[in-house]
Amino acid sequence: MAMMISETGTASHNKSNHGTKPLLRVLWGETIERTPLWLMRQAGRYLPEYKHVRSSAGNFLDLCYTPELAAQVTMQPIYRYALDAAILFSDILVIPDALGQPITFHESKGPVLKCLEDKEAVKRLSLDHLTRYLAPVYETVQRLLKVLPSTVTLIGFAGAPWTVATYMIEGGSSKDFSRAKRWMFEESSFEPLMEILTAATIQHLLAQIAAGAEAVQIFETWAGIVPEDSFHRWVIRPIATITEAIHERYPNIPVIAFPRGAGVHYEAFAMETGVQAVSVDSSVPLAWIVDHLQPHVIVQGNLDPSILVVGGNVMRKKAQRILDILGRGSFVFNLGHGVVPETPFEHVTQLVEVIHA
Ligand code: CP3
């Protein structure tokens, strides 16, 4: 087991209380009785109490930047379900916003940004005010520390540089990512953009940890569209750089990464990024995960979010199969991607029961 977190902690991040936190224990390489469980997008529109706060907050970014409300929404799934982690309520796209590429969220279109035009536009992005601009996010973390149950781990997060770059270049979500890929292949400003994003991600994650985040997750949602001969350069290398910077300052903070759709690249990703845990999407065969990933890292995943929409015995059987096959190794139960808005919230209770049984 390639556990690379050293024994020496910092004053604010030692292991003194990890004994009470099942997720942290597993991320630190311990074998424990019960598999820890949390869900990507566990706070969100499938919860009536989220929709209530969301409608009173104005726009989505206002919710992210209002510590009182962001902390409240982070805690909603924790009060409802016996989950082992709370994930900070924020978004991966606060980074372009803080770099000076303003973003808005539309009910139907999702995120909308003025797309990056050229080299000059990349030069105008500025790291100067990043952590000051994002101070409300760190204040949310501090508030959460005061209310979090002693068994629940607080996870901070950021998007990986490539995934965040796709939204910045395309001006929002995309069907084919052709503009982002063209930048990757030929645009001389792609490398400087990725450098700024790598530096911004490091600053943002370090500030979350300094505020009290106990683990971090890096979301590489669009790993699966990167051509194979670019995967190392633009997915593995930036995430390795970020992970190294975190461990240099905070050797005891586990890093989880989610290279969604990485396919056979998952193995190189697990071996070469230096992360403690890899979150696996639902397309990866369980037996392959046992042979190719669990020898190197802690694995997190990978129930299909649509099965959580179906619920009942169909879901119970599929969740049990994942537990039976992956639960013998170092494992954190999660979905293969985020909870979708049409999920009946009672199904999460059913899922927690399967994992706790
Ligand atoms: O509970 C949690 O997981 C914490 C909060 C969280 C959000 N977004 C809140 C959110 C996290 C960890 C994210 C990550 C995120 N954001 C990713 C990576 C994970 C993934 O799902 O692939 C990505 C790609 C984004 C970018 C993003 N944010 C998009 C494309 C959208 C619009 C589509 C959508 O799902 O609505 C968002 C908006 C967003 N982020 C919402 C939430 C709860 C919905 C906005 C609303 O309430 O109006």
Side-chain angles (χ1 to χ4, degrees):
M1 163 70 49
M3 270 305 297
M4 285 146 296
I5 298 179
S6 85
E7 290 299 314
T8 51
T10 59
S12 56
H13 295 96
N14 57 50
K15 292 187 183 176
S16 59
N17 67 349
H18 85 281
T20 66
K21 303 203 181 220
L23 176 62
L24 276 186
R25 289 177 63 186
V26 167
L27 291 175
W28 272 320
E30 280 183 48
T31 310
I32 63 172
E33 283 286 297
R34 179 178 66 72
T35 298
L37 157 77
W38 68 281
L39 304 175
M40 292 189 269
R41 290 286 186 97
Q42 63 190 25
R45 285 166 297 190
Y46 76 107
L47 288 176
E49 59 270 35
Y50 172 81
K51 284 189 268 197
H52 181 76
V53 175
R54 174 76 177 77
S55 63
S56 69
N59 67 54
F60 175 69
L61 272 187
D62 286 338
L63 176 53
C64 292
Y65 293 148
T66 308
E68 189 191 345
L69 296 181
Q72 190 184 339
V73 167
T74 305
M75 291 303 291
Q76 287 173 344
I78 304 306
Y79 293 140
R80 222 183 233 280
Y81 313 111
L83 298 166
D84 293 294
I87 179 158
L88 165 71
F89 191 84
S90 179
D91 199 85
I92 64 166
L93 298 177
V94 298
I95 290 286
D97 198 45
L99 289 173
Q101 188 185 11
I103 171 162
T104 51
F105 284 83
H106 294 254
E107 199 67 48
S108 51
K109 284 187 283 182
V112 176
L113 305 79
K114 186 173 167 295
C115 61
L116 283 183
E117 288 298 336
D118 50 19
K119 212 180 197 119
E120 293 312 308
V122 174
K123 279 195 194 137
R124 281 194 296 273
L125 299 171
S126 166
L127 285 163
D128 292 351
H129 311 293
L130 188 107
T131 53
R132 197 158 12 115
Y133 190 88
L134 295 178
V137 177
Y138 317 130
E139 193 190 323
T140 304
V141 172
Q142 288 171 329
R143 278 173 178 262
L144 284 166
L145 282 186
K146 296 187 190 133
V147 292
L148 212 65
S150 62
T151 56
V152 177
T153 299
L154 181 57
I155 302 177
F157 74 92
W162 160 247
T163 289
V164 175
T166 65
Y167 291 95
M168 296 173 76
I169 298 166
E170 300 279 347
S173 301
S174 170
K175 280 201 172 69
D176 56 11
F177 299 91
S178 76
R179 210 175 127 82
K181 285 186 184 178
R182 267 184 284 139
W183 269 51
M184 176 190 275
F185 295 137
E186 65 172 20
E187 179 59 60
S188 59
S189 21
F190 186 71
E191 186 163 356
L193 173 62
M194 290 292 281
E195 273 169 15
I196 292 174
L197 286 173
T198 302
T201 308
I202 291 170
Q203 285 191 22
H204 187 42
L205 289 174
L206 287 177
Q208 291 176 47
I209 296 165
E214 298 167 303
V216 293
Q217 175 151 324
I218 301 170
F219 288 91
E220 186 71 291
T221 301
W222 301 114
I225 62 161
V226 175
E228 67 87 22
D229 58 345
S230 299
F231 194 86
H232 191 272
R233 178 70 188 91
W234 299 121
V235 174
I236 292 182
R237 235 206 270 171
I239 292 174
T241 302
I242 294 163
T243 303
E244 196 183 348
I246 290 169
H247 286 155
E248 198 172 60
R249 184 90 70 85
Y250 298 106
N252 287 329
I253 295 294
V255 177
I256 311 166
F258 176 42
R260 188 172 74 103
V264 294
H265 293 300
Y266 262 108
E267 189 170 11
F269 186 94
M271 294 179 71
E272 294 168 24
T273 50
V275 299
Q276 275 60 55
V278 172
S279 201
V280 180
D281 67 73
S282 312
S283 72
V284 185
L286 301 182
W288 189 88
I289 296 173
V290 171
D291 290 342
H292 294 264
L293 299 182
Q294 280 188 324
H296 310 299
V297 283
I298 289 136
V299 165
Q300 174 176 282
N302 72 341
L303 186 73
D304 194 303
S306 304
I307 294 171
L308 192 59
V309 180
V310 174
N313 285 339
V314 176
M315 176 187 73
R316 289 190 185 96
K317 249 170 95 180
K318 300 231 185 233
Q320 189 60 50
R321 175 170 169 261
I322 293 172
L323 260 188
D324 289 344
I325 298 174
L326 299 181
R328 275 171 282 169
S330 296
F331 181 54
V332 176
F333 198 97
N334 206 311
L335 302 180
H337 197 187
V339 179
V340 293
E342 59 269 32
T343 306
F345 57 79
E346 313 84 40
H347 292 179
V348 177
T349 312
Q350 296 173 356
L351 180 62
V352 172
E353 282 164 8
V354 175
I355 311 304
H356 283 216

